[in-house]
Amino acid sequence: MINKTLGFIGCGNMGSAIIKGVLNSKTFLSVNAYDIKRNDELDVNYLNSINELVQKSDIILLCVKPNMFKQILTEIKQCDYKEKIFVSIAAGITKEFIKQILGDVMLVRVMPNLPLCVGEGMSVVCADDNINEENLEAVKMIFAFSGKISLMNEDYINKALAVNGSGPAYVFMFIEAMADSLVKNGVARDESYKIAAQTVLGSAKMLLETNLHPGILKDMVCSPAGTTIEAVIELEKRGFRYSVMDAIEKCTQKANDMSKK
C-alpha cells in the first residue's frame, strides 16, 4: 500500500480509465475526484470543490480538456498546493504553461492513450528534476497498472503522442479497412472485426515478446511467390509506409503548434 491519496480533476474517458486501473490495483490509500458530471460507476470519494480536492489529495491528476486548463489552474492557484504533486495528461499543455500560473510546483507530464481502458495502455512520462525517486515511482505506478510506460524528456512528448496518443485511431482505421475487405468477400461483419482485431493484437504481442525487428517478422509471413508478398507489394506501390509516416509528421506538427499557443 502506498500511503498517498490520489485526486482526479476530471473523470472523462481518460480520467475514468486511469481511475479504474488504480482502483483494481488497490495500491493507493484512497482516491478522490472532482467533476461537474459525476460518474457513479466509479467507487471514488467525490468532493464538492477543487479546493477540497487539493486539500485532501497528495497527487493531483489534471484530466480535463486543454481548453479548460487555464480556468482549472486559476482555481488551483487559490488553494494551498505547494506540497502537492501535479500530473497533467493534456496534449499541447506544456509544463512551462502550468508553472507560469502555479509557480515551481512538483510536476509530471504524462501522455497516456485510450487502450488504458482495457489495461493495455502506452503512457509516456515526462518528470521534473524536482520530483524525487519515491514520488516519481508512485506516479509511474498509476499508469503502469493499465499498461506500459516510457520515460522521456518533454522535448519528445509531441513526437511520441503522434503515435501513442493518436495511434489507436490509425489502428482502428486499419482494422476497419481489413474487416471491410472481409465483408466484401462474404464474411459476416462481427466475424470480420474479430479476425482483423485479433490479428493486430497477436502481431503486436509477437513483436513485443520476441523483440525481433518488424521487418524480420514480416519476412516470416511472406513466403516466396506466395499470397502475402503480393499484398505487400501492392501496399508499397500505394505508399503505405510513407502515408503512415507523413500522417504522423502532420500530427506532430499540430501538437507543436498547440504547445506554442
Side-chain angles (χ1 to χ4, degrees):
M1 176 71 70
I2 296 176
N3 191 31
K4 289 186 184 297
T5 296
L6 304 183
F8 287 78
I9 300 178
C11 300
N13 290 335
M14 198 61 70
S16 295
I18 300 168
I19 289 172
K20 288 175 183 177
V22 168
L23 293 176
N24 288 338
S25 73
K26 299 180 181 179
T27 300
F28 286 88
L29 189 63
S30 60
V31 179
N32 299 323
Y34 171 81
D35 199 320
I36 56 174
K37 293 182 180 180
R38 180 171 176 147
N39 184 348
D40 291 326
E41 294 181 359
L42 300 174
D43 186 20
V44 297
N45 307 312
Y46 271 102
L47 303 179
N48 295 319
S49 68
I50 287 178
N51 181 54
E52 186 180 7
L53 181 134
V54 171
Q55 286 181 2
K56 296 182 177 181
S57 307
D58 302 304
I59 302 176
I60 299 160
L61 290 96
L62 307 173
C63 302
V64 298
K65 299 294 186 184
N67 63 338
M68 292 292 296
F69 243 73
K70 188 171 183 179
Q71 176 186 332
I72 296 298
L73 294 176
T74 301
E75 291 189 46
I76 293 174
K77 181 72 173 176
Q78 312 306 314
C79 308
D80 182 10
Y81 60 86
K82 294 302 181 183
E83 299 302 317
K84 309 296 182 177
I85 301 165
F86 289 91
V87 180
S88 167
I89 68 166
I93 302 295
T94 64
K95 289 191 286 186
E96 180 184 9
F97 177 86
I98 296 172
K99 290 189 174 187
Q100 284 176 350
I101 298 175
L102 297 185
D104 191 26
V105 293
M106 291 182 286
L107 179 60
V108 181
R109 189 177 170 195
V110 180
M111 180 50 57
N113 67 6
L114 192 59
L116 280 168
C117 297
V118 293
E120 291 293 347
M122 181 65 235
S123 301
V124 175
V125 179
C126 309
D128 262 359
D129 292 337
N130 62 358
I131 300 288
N132 63 37
E133 191 62 31
E134 179 185 353
N135 289 331
L136 178 57
E137 284 301 313
V139 172
K140 286 163 59 179
M141 287 182 70
I142 294 169
F143 296 90
F145 293 137
S146 301
K148 300 186 186 308
I149 62 171
S150 179
L151 285 173
M152 285 188 180
N153 186 285
E154 190 182 17
D155 293 342
Y156 294 98
I157 198 167
N158 286 343
K159 301 174 179 65
L161 74 82
V163 174
N164 87 300
S166 302
Y170 323 147
V171 175
F172 295 143
M173 290 172 67
F174 181 50
I175 290 171
E176 185 180 33
M178 290 198 296
D180 281 347
S181 72
L182 290 176
V183 172
K184 177 179 179 293
N185 289 323
V187 180
R189 173 64 68 180
D190 57 345
E191 286 299 312
S192 297
Y193 282 135
K194 180 171 71 174
I195 291 168
Q198 180 61 36
T199 298
V200 171
L201 175 63
S203 301
K205 186 174 182 180
M206 189 173 181
L207 176 64
L208 290 172
E209 293 190 0
T210 65
N211 204 30
L212 291 173
H213 190 282
I216 294 175
L217 294 172
K218 179 262 296 178
D219 289 349
M220 290 168 62
V221 186
C222 293
S223 303
T227 56
T228 307
I229 194 63
E230 289 291 333
V232 168
I233 290 171
E234 189 65 25
L235 289 171
E236 292 289 20
K237 284 198 307 189
R238 296 175 182 274
F240 177 69
R241 286 190 288 186
Y242 176 80
S243 295
V244 172
M245 290 185 281
D246 193 43
I248 290 171
E249 184 63 26
K250 293 293 192 299
C251 186
T252 303
Q253 290 173 6
K254 178 65 174 181
N256 288 335
D257 291 342
M258 289 173 62
S259 297
K260 293 174 183 176
K261 291 182 179 180

